[in-house]
Amino acid sequence: MIEYTPAKVATSIPVIDLSASLAGDAEVKSSTAWEVHKAARETGFFYISGHGVPSEVTEGILEVSRRFFDLPTEDKLDADINHSSCYRGYEPPAFQTLDTGSAADNKEGFQIGKDLGPDHPYVRRGLPNHGPNQWPGTMPELKTVMEDYLLRMHDLAHHLTGLLALSLDLPENYFAPGYAEDAISSRLLHYPSQDGVGEGNQLGAGAHTDWGLITILLQDSIGGLEVADGNGDWIQAPPVDGTFVVNLGDLVPVMTNGLYLSNMHRVLNTAGARRYSVPTFYDLDYDYVAEAVPTTLAEGESAPERITVGDHLTNMFRRTYTA
């Protein structure tokens, strides 16, 4: 087991520049991975700059998001998520409750993933959250923009997963067995402005951790994301131009024997303007078994927990959706 230095109590979120690591130099990748290691232990959150995604792509998807949510309700409901077998399409306001016991979240969304036809083996098996996307008939450009964005996020997620492996003193391709049928979804989100916390502790997104492996979040300029720091206080994660916010999900502590964090966060938009964001959730294959990697176990120690990615994500979906 590798001896790691103690993590400090973090009160801010670091920015990690990926530009050199994307160039492919092994030594630079190791240095970048060490920055990931520190952030993963201190908050489970970090910004990434130099990620290689052009600004016209990020600006384009935020613009198409604004236009989609401006559509009449009946047009958005043309792709009602309640008509999907795999949680794809339009999520009406108050569809999800991320903080159990609080009021439903004050947001609406639109979600896509890998577009899988009826003959795909996982669709034939009836696995949850695997299947076709659906699209509103009145806005064909939404499909073009979102599918391009999803492909770019898929490439970026693979790079981040490689850095995650390196940060644990594992080969960069350690998690590659989970790549063949990996899962990825991107979600357009719209948060109306609130005067403050609503009745029943209603927030834009209630306090929660993310469920899977890695989340890559694109924010607009409004702000409202808050992250729990090392003291348990809420700190702002404001928009930083040209960056994404990355955070680790609940499977990461399982896979690192508790070394890395999946941290609480929430959204409260009190800016007096509508907020738009685009989170992308990346996970390994449904059948991939998540358990502590060897470098986080003492000699002779066995992994304390084993669960497939699919079983874990299915359990979390059932807990948080109201419909």
Side-chain angles (χ1 to χ4, degrees), residues 266-321:
R266 65 186 188 182
V267 174
L268 177 60
N269 175 19
T270 58
R274 296 188 293 177
R275 177 184 189 262
Y276 300 89
S277 68
V278 187
T280 297
F281 306 98
Y282 177 74
D283 291 291
L284 301 174
D285 187 290
Y286 187 95
D287 292 327
Y288 187 90
V289 176
E291 61 181 333
V293 300
T295 54
T296 63
L297 296 170
E299 186 176 353
E301 182 184 7
S302 299
E305 182 179 0
R306 301 177 84 247
I307 188 169
T308 65
V309 170
D311 285 346
H312 171 76
L313 294 178
T314 299
N315 291 340
M316 294 307 299
F317 263 89
R318 288 171 178 164
R319 290 182 196 175
T320 65
Y321 277 100

Side-chain angles (χ1 to χ4, degrees), residues 31-112:
S31 176
T32 305
W34 175 241
E35 297 303 314
V36 170
H37 172 88
K38 291 187 292 184
R41 294 192 63 192
E42 292 164 6
T43 63
F45 270 78
F46 51 95
Y47 295 89
I48 53 171
S49 62
H51 43 68
V53 180
S55 60
E56 56 265 29
V57 171
T58 55
E59 291 166 3
I61 197 163
L62 287 172
E63 175 57 26
V64 83
S65 177
R66 295 182 190 102
R67 290 170 50 210
F68 171 74
F69 290 117
D70 280 343
L71 290 174
T73 299
E74 59 268 25
D75 289 350
K76 291 183 285 189
L77 287 172
D78 187 37
D80 189 346
I81 201 168
N82 288 301
H83 299 155
S84 171
S85 62
C86 54
Y87 289 97
R88 309 287 173 80
Y90 173 61
E91 304 172 14
F95 186 73
Q96 187 179 37
T97 305
L98 284 168
D99 185 2
T100 303
S102 294
D105 295 344
N106 185 23
K107 68 177 188 293
E108 58 179 334
F110 183 86
Q111 180 159 287
I112 71 164

Side-chain angles (χ1 to χ4, degrees), residues 192-208:
S193 183
Q194 301 179 222
D195 293 335
V197 177
E199 184 177 353
N201 193 39
Q202 186 184 52
L203 304 173
H208 66 287

